[in-house]
Amino acid sequence: MHIEDIDYEVGGRRMIGQLAVDDYRPGLRPAVLLCHEGLGLDEHVKGCAVRLAGLGYLAFALDYQGPGEPLFRDEAIAHLGVLMADPDLTRSLAQAGLDVLLAQKQVDPRRVAAIGYCFGGAMALELARTGADLKAVVGFHPSLTSAKPADSSNIKGSVLMCCGADDPIVTSEQRLAFEAEMREARVADWRIELYGSVGHCFTNPRVSELGMPGFAFDAAADRRSWRAMLDLLEETLGSAI
């Protein structure tokens, strides 16, 4: 397994993403861009990149908080507020990560997907809204709102959003609005998987350390959503083996 930190810059801000690839496998690989949770690039998302690499994908976990590690909560939340209000900035950060991924010599550029966690899910969606050639977009407990929802008409690939029914951040009203957005944009293939009695950040085993109500790891939802993602990747990118 080859794991490498990659330095890059976006708007004068230093970013450090992590590449993971099984370099013993020959040929070009389907690729997955990972977008981390709001506090910053942590071991959870880096671990997901390694898991995907072990399955034959080339995985790159981008960085949108900088410089490659979680920030203090207040600083991270302040920067998230800026990103939520500026979809163009969010898209530029996502595109920078995608550019790093596509620059890897092992990547098959015809087989690329983007996935994201929490605000990273919103970032993956915003990248898809630019018309980027993504065969699949997957969000785990993702932010669903966008300042430019009409741009969803540019989405080319399949969309899967995995949500907790008791998520205090992503409400039922937001899910309904997202459904309407997908219909109005005529996105060809989209779905929401909803997990009952599940809150926010259900994929992160360490989320309880934040001490925030409604934020809780759920092993079953984590396992089911990962399986749903893998099924979609195999369907849209083909076998990684």
Side-chain angles (χ1 to χ4, degrees):
M1 184 71 66
H2 175 75
I3 300 173
E4 177 186 356
D5 288 339
I6 297 180
D7 270 70
Y8 62 107
E9 189 175 291
V10 186
R13 191 180 184 112
R14 183 190 182 203
M15 304 295 176
I16 306 176
Q18 187 170 97
L19 173 73
V21 58
D22 180 352
D23 54 7
Y24 284 96
R25 298 174 188 265
L28 298 180
R29 324 293 168 78
V32 181
L33 180 70
L34 294 89
C35 307
H36 58 74
E37 295 172 324
L39 294 184
L41 182 55
D42 60 9
E43 295 307 313
H44 169 229
V45 173
K46 289 179 180 180
C48 292
V50 171
R51 288 174 70 187
L52 286 167
L55 295 171
Y57 298 96
L58 184 145
F60 179 65
L62 60 68
D63 179 15
Y64 63 81
Q65 290 285 29
E69 58 187 18
L71 303 179
F72 289 111
R73 187 185 302 181
D74 289 348
E75 182 182 1
I77 290 174
H79 190 223
L80 280 179
V82 173
L83 294 178
M84 289 175 183
D86 190 344
D88 291 330
L89 176 57
T90 299
R91 294 173 184 188
S92 69
L93 289 163
Q95 184 63 52
L98 180 61
D99 290 344
V100 172
L101 181 146
L102 292 175
Q104 306 309 309
K105 63 182 181 181
Q106 306 100 320
V107 167
D108 183 345
R110 302 165 300 173
R111 297 193 290 162
V112 178
I115 72 174
Y117 299 79
C118 301
F119 185 76
M123 178 167 280
L125 280 168
E126 290 295 359
L127 180 61
R129 290 185 180 105
T130 69
D133 187 14
L134 301 173
K135 297 300 186 286
V137 181
V138 182
F140 300 92
H141 36 89
S143 301
L144 296 175
T145 58
S146 172
K148 294 185 174 182
D151 287 355
S152 285
S153 61
N154 297 320
I155 294 175
K156 296 177 179 178
S158 299
V159 175
L160 167 63
M161 297 291 113
C162 301
C163 303
D166 293 342
D167 190 328
I169 305 299
V170 185
T171 64
S172 57
E173 291 80 10
Q174 290 172 359
R175 294 197 302 269
L176 288 171
F178 182 75
E179 290 181 29
E181 177 186 326
M182 293 292 101
R183 291 191 186 97
E184 290 169 12
R186 299 184 183 278
V187 177
D189 181 29
W190 64 272
R191 60 189 157 114
I192 296 176
E193 287 211 358
L194 191 61
Y195 307 108
S197 304
V198 172
H200 196 58
C201 286
F202 60 79
T203 64
N204 192 336
R206 299 186 62 178
V207 69
S208 60
E209 295 174 11
L210 296 176
M212 299 180 68
F215 285 53
F217 175 67
D218 188 284
D222 179 37
R223 182 178 64 254
R224 291 166 179 167
S225 60
W226 183 262
R227 182 71 258 169
M229 176 199 68
L230 291 182
D231 288 346
L232 183 61
L233 293 183
E234 184 172 356
E235 180 182 327
T236 57
L237 304 184
S239 174
I241 305 302

